Amino acid sequence: MTSAITWIFIFLVLYWSYCFFWGVRASKQISSADDYFLSGRSLSPWVFAIAATGISFAGWTFIAHPGLIFRDGFQFANTSFFAIAVAISGVVLLKRQWMLGRRFRFTTSGEMLSAYFKDDTLRVISVCIALLFGIPFAALLFGSSGFLISELTNGIFSRNVAMWSLSGFVLLYSIMGGMQAIAKISVVQTILFFLGMIILGLFALDLAGGFDSLNQGLANIAKNITSHLGKTKGMGGGNFPGYFAIPGVIQFTDGIGIETPKGGPWTAIMTLTFMMSVMGIQSSPTFTMLGFTSKSTKGFSIHQIWGAAACVGIIMFLFSTLQGVSANLLGANSAVNQAGFAIAQHLPELSKAQYTELVMHYIKLVGSTSPWMVGFLAICAIAALQVTAAAFMSTTGNILSRDIYVHYFNKDADYKTQIKAAKLLTALVFFCGMLLASFSMEATLILGSLAIACSFQLWPSLLGVTWFPWITKNAAIAGVIIGIIVVIFTEILGQKITGGRLPWGVWPWTIHSAVWGMFFNISICLIISLMTSQDPDKKHRDTFHSFFQKHSVTASNDRWSKPVGGLLLMVWMFFAIGPGSIFGNFIFGKPNAGYDSWMLGMPSIWAWQIIWWALGVGLIWFLANKLRMSTEPEKEIESINQ
């Protein structure tokens, strides 16, 4: 293992050298606020597409996703459709926000919301959501990188020392080169993320003896072993093992921590609402800023179709799933070992709580034959964690500079003062996150888990800005506040605040907290908007939407595209991530009927997922290109200063 540790340091030096190079190079090209905050609004389409893909997915999938598939099986693998869901989110929101950024020179989401609704409340809420991403959410990712290096170096460095060292370098290049450095470094980090996932997936498949051997082993498990999830007991079309089936459309349980769903928690509605929650990534203040950096909208369709839907989709449905399910046959599952179905004892037995350690053990296992590969895979993992963390941490500091310091305290600040403030605030965000991760991982996890769900509550406000002028200021503000409160009280934090006195647990009725919040958010938003008969700001909002209409020309032969697109979207959602997904449990053979009954030589639900993933890529292409939701505006946009 000593040689493997040496290789880790060699690759780490090479990786740091690349990051430092771009930090220095980008710092020399900064001559305006836009250069630092938005890379001069001139990122090439391909740089944007690759960077946006890594920032959206890499950090929270490289370590956790394979481990959760190992723990919860193919019902959790259905959440891999977040590759399509995030792309849908971008299709709806990104282009029109970019158009407003070009027209009015907005730098942050808060500036855009404040200008549109003529009120600063949503600006402040946007900053608060950014802080959830920049402090606890980023700290979770930084903490994971520290744990990984500590384990791979056999404790030469403690978790905290490794975390502070690795993360400190991220802070350095972030404040040196601003958004340009982050974007250019993100390209390589994203490529490393893809390579790491592919290599580990193929490695796991090879250890399992190939695809046929893997599926024969899975068939033995499905037929003879009941996992901790139990059986579906009629939910989802039969009495199937929960590891190989979606446990019904919905289960009206009191919530995780109070009542256990039959066959597992990942019902069709749980998957659907989880997919909706991850749409909060691209409605986050960070992603609005990232969208403003692009030179044109061409990068949006590349990111949505090929980066998110196609590349991330195949990474999740194939290579991540291979890592997760193969582990059952490689020694990680004690029940499989006891039953004698394990192919080999390559991995240590892992409990349900140890699922995050799976990828780390795979990387260690590689070291027994290829020490240099341990170093390379360690850097792949670090890059995946840092590409997401760096973007959220840095943009949070930039948002604080623009939306708080400049707006409230120094409106006349020149670009050097704004950048200096952004660097100091980014450092403050970094230290807050690191201290939180160093002394209370429980608090980090609880607060970090709120970020995406709370960000999803910005959807009605952003839809008002981009599509629906009838959403009023008071409706948007009240909706997002109520939505965030509901999110808190359907998450672990709500249980902590009330001392466990709530009559429900986390995610009651197998519905994600983000959607519970959105239900009340939209309800309040609709009621207040409909009750507002005299709206003095309506004409002001209409000027924004008139701008969209002038720059969006629809050809007469495209009049059927919108209804067809809407129909395709509804059908896809129903069968891929909605109630129709339960047909995947048995349509290609019942999971517990034996390998010979599996029509495609693999679990029915896995085949179903891959088919609907491929159809989802086609859907994103149709929405992005045929409906022109991610193409260039038909007319050139002239910038004006507000």
Side-chain angles (χ1 to χ4, degrees):
M1 192 65 185
T2 303
S3 59
I5 295 173
T6 302
W7 278 109
I8 290 174
F9 285 113
I10 291 172
F11 278 105
L12 193 58
V13 170
L14 293 173
Y15 172 71
W16 276 349
S17 298
Y18 175 81
C19 294
F20 186 73
F21 165 77
W22 271 110
V24 173
R25 179 170 178 175
S27 68
K28 295 179 179 179
Q29 299 174 359
I30 296 172
S31 59
S32 69
D34 268 1
D35 288 340
Y36 183 83
F37 294 124
L38 302 175
S39 190
R41 302 180 192 263
S42 60
L43 278 185
S44 72
W46 279 101
V47 170
F48 171 85
I50 298 172
T53 301
I55 291 167
S56 297
F57 298 101
W60 56 294
T61 57
F62 194 97
I63 299 294
H65 194 262
L68 282 166
I69 291 177
F70 162 67
R71 190 190 73 179
D72 291 345
F74 289 100
Q75 60 174 264
F76 179 81
N78 215 47
T79 65
S80 300
F81 281 113
F82 64 64
I84 308 294
V86 169
I88 292 172
S89 176
V91 166
V92 174
L93 294 177
L94 266 184
K95 176 180 174 178
R96 292 200 166 193
Q97 289 188 86
W98 178 89
M99 291 172 68
L100 291 178
R102 285 281 155 165
R103 177 67 168 174
F104 301 106
R105 311 299 294 179
F106 296 134
T107 300
T108 69
S109 175
E111 291 176 4
M112 180 181 68
L113 291 167
S114 178
Y116 179 82
F117 288 108
K118 297 176 68 175
D119 188 273
D120 273 355
T121 306
L122 286 171
R123 181 198 296 267
V124 174
I125 293 173
S126 176
V127 170
C128 292
I129 292 172
L131 286 169
L132 284 176
F133 279 104
I135 298 178
F137 186 78
L140 278 174
L141 303 177
F142 287 141
S144 296
S145 67
F147 171 79
L148 179 70
I149 291 301
S150 178
E151 290 294 319
L152 292 179
T153 58
N154 293 328
I156 291 177
F157 299 104
S158 68
R159 170 190 169 275
N160 283 350
V161 170
M163 176 183 69
W164 279 87
S165 301
L166 293 169
S167 307
F169 212 83
V170 175
L171 174 66
L172 178 63
Y173 73 70
S174 297
I175 63 176
M176 285 175 65
M179 185 59 79
Q180 182 178 163
I182 290 172
K184 297 296 176 62
I185 293 169
S186 292
V187 171
V188 169
Q189 290 171 326
T190 302
I191 293 171
L192 289 172
F193 158 62
F194 285 142
L195 289 175
M197 293 293 287
I198 292 170
I199 291 169
L200 288 171
L202 293 175
F203 179 65
L205 180 62
D206 181 64
L207 291 176
F211 197 70
D212 290 340
S213 175
L214 168 64
N215 283 290
Q216 288 170 7
L218 292 176
N220 288 331
I221 294 173
K223 191 173 183 178
N224 299 287
I225 297 176
T226 300
S227 72
H228 71 280
L229 299 169
K231 293 192 174 183
T232 60
K233 299 178 181 179
M235 310 294 288
N239 189 28
F240 303 135
Y243 199 88
F244 293 85
I246 295 171
V249 174
I250 188 172
Q251 296 191 36
F252 296 101
T253 58
D254 290 336
I256 297 172
I258 294 182
E259 185 177 359
T260 303
K262 299 175 183 176
W266 296 99
T267 63
I269 293 300
M270 183 71 247
T271 300
L272 176 63
T273 56
F274 180 79
M275 293 301 98
M276 296 173 70
S277 77
V278 298
M279 290 182 174
I281 293 172
Q282 297 211 353
S283 62
S284 67
T286 288
F287 223 88
T288 296
M289 286 192 74
L290 186 62
F292 290 158
T293 66
S294 185
K295 185 177 181 179
S296 73
T297 58
K298 292 179 182 178
F300 299 165
S301 61
I302 298 171
H303 157 60
Q304 291 150 8
I305 301 168
W306 306 114
C311 292
V312 173
I314 197 169
I315 289 290
M316 296 299 102
F317 281 113
L318 185 58
F319 298 104
S320 182
T321 302
L322 284 173
Q323 292 179 55
V325 298
S326 296
N328 291 285
L329 300 169
L330 300 176
N333 188 321
S334 60
V336 174
N337 295 341
Q338 292 171 10
F341 292 131
I343 295 173
Q345 301 295 316
H346 291 302
L347 297 170
E349 291 186 357
L350 300 175
S351 67
K352 292 188 297 180
Q354 294 176 304
Y355 67 90
T356 56
E357 299 179 17
L358 178 64
V359 171
M360 181 264 294
H361 286 297
Y362 271 128
I363 295 175
K364 278 188 172 182
L365 189 58
V366 173
S368 60
T369 55
S370 301
W372 71 270
M373 186 61 76
V374 174
F376 180 72
L377 289 173
I379 296 305
C380 290
I382 291 169
L385 293 164
Q386 290 186 348
V387 64
T388 302
F392 283 114
M393 176 195 70
S394 178
T395 53
T396 299
N398 296 345
I399 287 167
L400 288 170
S401 174
R402 293 283 302 187
D403 284 330
I404 302 299
Y405 172 72
V406 174
H407 182 70
Y408 289 107
F409 299 104
N410 192 357
K411 291 183 182 292
D412 298 323
D414 60 18
Y415 83 90
K416 292 183 178 179
T417 304
Q418 292 182 41
I419 292 172
K420 186 180 295 184
K423 291 180 177 181
L424 291 172
L425 290 166
T426 299
L428 179 61
V429 167
F430 169 80
F431 283 112
C432 288
M434 290 301 96
L435 290 172
L436 187 63
S438 298
F439 295 106
S440 181
M441 276 306 295
E442 181 185 11
T444 305
L445 180 61
I446 291 172
L447 294 173
S449 65
L450 294 175
I452 294 175
C454 288
S455 180
F456 183 57
Q457 305 311 308
L458 287 173
W459 260 77
S461 301
L462 293 174
L463 287 176
V465 172
T466 54
W467 294 98
F468 305 130
W470 50 265
I471 295 178
T472 66
K473 172 184 67 179
N474 292 333
I477 293 170
V480 71
I481 292 173
I482 295 298
I484 290 173
I485 292 172
V486 173
V487 164
I488 291 172
F489 284 98
T490 49
E491 281 282 355
I492 298 174
L493 182 59
Q495 298 292 332
K496 295 287 184 180
I497 292 172
T498 61
R501 295 184 180 89
L502 293 174
W504 59 81
V506 177
W507 306 350
W509 290 7
T510 61
I511 295 175
H512 196 279
S513 60
V515 175
W516 279 114
M518 186 55 67
F519 172 78
F520 288 95
N521 187 339
I522 291 178
S523 299
I524 294 294
C525 194
L526 288 174
I527 291 170
I528 295 178
S529 293
L530 293 173
M531 289 177 60
T532 306
S533 57
Q534 299 296 326
D535 185 3
D537 297 328
K538 181 67 164 58
K539 289 184 179 180
H540 168 73
R541 297 197 302 273
D542 283 341
T543 60
F544 288 75
H545 294 273
S546 296
F547 160 72
F548 291 136
Q549 292 174 2
K550 290 177 182 177
H551 289 79
S552 302
V553 179
T554 303
S556 59
N557 60 357
D558 282 347
R559 65 183 182 276
W560 293 108
S561 296
K562 288 184 179 180
V564 169
L567 178 62
L568 291 175
L569 178 60
M570 292 300 104
V571 170
W572 183 86
M573 290 182 67
F574 181 83
F575 286 105
I577 58 176
S581 61
I582 64 170
F583 293 116
N585 288 346
F586 51 82
I587 196 168
F588 300 117
K590 294 182 179 180
N592 51 354
Y595 180 74
D596 291 337
S597 72
W598 289 2
M599 295 169 56
L600 300 178
M602 61 195 300
S604 175
I605 186 64
W606 196 5
W608 180 268
Q609 290 164 353
I610 292 173
I611 289 169
W612 284 98
W613 158 72
L615 293 172
V617 176
L619 171 67
I620 298 302
W621 175 87
F622 187 89
L623 297 176
N625 289 335
K626 187 63 176 177
L627 294 190
R628 296 189 175 93
M629 296 182 75
S630 294
T631 57
E632 289 278 3
E634 283 74 8
K635 295 182 180 179
E636 186 178 352
I637 297 174
E638 296 182 4
S639 299
I640 61 174
N641 292 320
Q642 289 205 310

